[in-house]
Amino acid sequence: VIIMGILMLSIGVTLVVNIIQFEKNMKSALEREIYATGLLVRKTIDNNLKYFELSRFSGMKDFLKGVIKTNKNISYVFVTNTHRKVLYHNDFDRRVNLGKEYDKIKILKSSQTVSVKGHYESIIPVFSVDKKNTYLGNIHVGVNKKIIDKEIISMIIQTIIIFIIALGLSIYLLMYFISKNVVNPITGLSSEMENITQNMDLSREINTKGEDEIAQLGKTFNLMMNEIRNYSENLE
């Protein structure tokens, strides 16, 4: 019970530490992924800005939809102007949002990752490619936080399975060791002592092997019976 308690405590502490570290690393990896996707979109926009205004890009919706298909972890990507109006969105079924104000969008002129409605969202500003470097809007790339939860649950399940297997193997090896090195020798010693006391055969010696405590106990019994035998003979 003590060993199982120690193992469970150790596994529990290790699991908590691993979950915290895993969540931190997973969040960092997702933030880097959505930021890299945002940079890809901005590069495409910069190339188009040489010829067209931000609000007049043709094929932008198809491009954003292709970005989602290529990056399975990305939940959405859209582009807004300086007035927080959604110009382009990856979801064709959400045309109602295009051109309307997106209340949760902050006007940011520097790249930043924020938390929005269960998503990590990377917001990357867009500037004109001329010498004026005018602020034109933002690129928004989001990834669902549930991805991290799924990975954590998977890790917990794997850890529990490994723990159960390791615990079962540890208990089996422990019981085998105790049986071989403690229970069996003590049972043998008890059986021999029982035969000696029943038959009062003090000339018989207990077989002892090794130098452990049980062997020392057997030698002590032999010494004790030898003393009793000598005392009995002298008394007679």
Side-chain angles (χ1 to χ4, degrees), residues 5-218:
I6 293 173
L7 285 174
M8 292 180 66
L9 179 62
S10 301
I11 292 294
V13 172
T14 303
L15 183 60
V16 170
V17 173
N18 286 341
I19 288 174
I20 295 173
Q21 188 63 37
F22 178 81
E23 185 175 9
K24 182 179 178 181
N25 293 340
M26 189 71 179
K27 179 182 176 182
S28 258
L30 290 175
E31 287 178 351
R32 288 194 298 268
E33 183 175 357
I34 58 178
Y35 180 70
T37 302
L39 291 180
L40 173 65
V41 175
R42 187 170 70 177
K43 184 176 181 181
T44 302
I45 290 176
D46 288 343
N47 291 334
N48 282 275
L49 283 174
K50 298 176 183 178
Y51 311 101
F52 307 99
E53 295 179 1
L54 181 61
S55 59
R56 296 185 178 181
F57 287 174
S58 61
M60 195 64 186
K61 298 175 184 178
D62 292 330
F63 170 71
L64 295 182
K65 191 173 182 179
V67 170
I68 296 296
K69 288 183 177 180
T70 305
N71 302 272
K72 299 300 182 181
N73 289 333
I74 304 299
S75 299
Y76 60 82
V77 53
F78 59 89
V79 181
T80 59
N81 61 14
T82 54
H83 301 291
R84 301 193 303 178
K85 305 286 185 177
V86 178
L87 301 177
Y88 311 102
H89 199 289
N90 66 278
D91 191 350
F92 286 132
D93 296 332
R94 296 182 63 183
R95 292 177 184 274
V96 66
N97 288 329
L98 299 180
K100 292 188 176 182
E101 184 173 345
Y102 191 80
D103 295 334
K104 296 298 181 181
I105 298 175
K106 296 179 180 180
I107 298 177
L108 299 175
K109 296 186 179 181
S110 61
S111 299
Q112 186 174 344
T113 300
V114 296
S115 180
V116 179
K117 289 185 177 180
H119 290 77
Y120 293 118
E121 184 176 295
S122 183
I123 302 177
I124 301 175
V126 177
F127 298 94
S128 63
V129 294
D130 55 21
K131 294 181 179 179
K132 294 181 180 180
N133 203 29
T134 306
Y135 170 67
L136 302 177
N138 289 316
I139 300 166
H140 302 258
V141 184
V143 61
N144 200 322
K145 293 179 180 179
K146 289 183 179 179
I147 294 177
I148 298 179
D149 296 335
K150 289 180 181 179
E151 293 294 334
I152 289 176
I153 292 173
S154 177
M155 185 183 70
I156 292 174
I157 293 174
Q158 292 176 6
T159 303
I160 291 175
I161 292 174
I162 293 173
F163 168 71
I164 292 174
I165 294 173
L167 182 61
L169 183 60
S170 299
I171 292 175
Y172 172 78
L173 293 176
L174 179 63
M175 296 304 295
Y176 175 78
F177 174 81
I178 292 175
S179 176
K180 182 178 179 181
N181 296 278
V182 180
V183 177
N184 291 343
I186 290 178
T187 302
L189 183 61
S190 175
S191 178
E192 290 194 45
M193 287 298 299
E194 185 177 357
N195 290 333
I196 291 172
T197 54
Q198 286 179 353
N199 301 323
M200 292 305 294
D201 186 7
L202 299 179
S203 62
R204 182 177 175 181
E205 289 191 353
I206 298 174
N207 295 323
T208 58
K209 296 180 181 179
E211 296 295 333
D212 56 10
E213 291 83 356
I214 298 174
Q216 292 296 329
L217 181 60

